[in-house]
Amino acid sequence: MDRASGIRALIPLVPAAALLVALLAILPSDPAAGVTSSRSPFTDEGYYLLNSRNLVLLGGWSTGDWNLHLVDGPFAPAMAGVFSLFGVSVETARVLSVALSVTMVALVALVVSGEFGVGAGTLAAFALAGQTS
């Protein structure tokens, strides 16, 4: 494979790289500037992270009626692992979601490019990245 073909093969990954930069830029933005309180425990992010946080900080999954770790499959143990490795924070809580989102955009780009060409793969990746961010 010559250099031009190699560069052309990487074009569909541009949306994944752009999504990574965009999501990393907003990783720590909670609460928004000028807001003095956050409803983060009552957002989708908070619901699904609470039990992983509890496991790492308190030694047990549930401390009450918040038992979503029973229904969210591998996400809760994966997040508990991320929290164990990097500590519990807003930024850390978003790391796994960012990584999985960027990976999915890259996979869509590569699969669609392989089947339908670089243009279609790039378009599909941009479409998915636009829905993700």
Side-chain angles (χ1 to χ4, degrees):
M1 177 167 40
D2 65 350
R3 183 179 171 124
S5 296
I7 291 172
R8 184 171 163 82
L10 293 177
I11 290 172
L13 297 177
V14 169
L19 179 64
L20 179 63
V21 169
L23 291 177
L24 289 178
I26 63 168
L27 200 63
S29 54
D30 182 42
V35 177
T36 58
S37 65
S38 174
R39 292 184 40 85
S40 63
F42 303 103
T43 63
D44 289 342
E45 191 175 71
Y47 283 128
Y48 289 103
L49 296 173
L50 187 64
N51 293 124
S52 300
R53 173 199 160 276
N54 287 347
L55 180 65
V56 172
L57 294 181
L58 306 174
W61 287 106
S62 299
T63 59
D65 294 334
W66 301 82
N67 295 314
L68 288 176
H69 67 284
L70 299 173
V71 296
D72 66 6
F75 184 74
M79 273 314 306
V82 170
F83 283 153
S84 295
L85 290 172
F86 302 109
V88 176
S89 69
V90 169
E91 293 85 1
T92 309
R94 295 178 177 155
V95 166
L96 183 61
S97 296
V98 167
L100 292 173
S101 296
V102 171
T103 300
M104 193 66 223
V105 170
L107 285 173
V108 164
L110 295 173
V111 169
V112 174
S113 291
E115 289 294 318
F116 301 105
V118 171
T122 305
L123 181 62
F126 269 121
L128 182 57
Q131 293 295 316
T132 303
S133 57

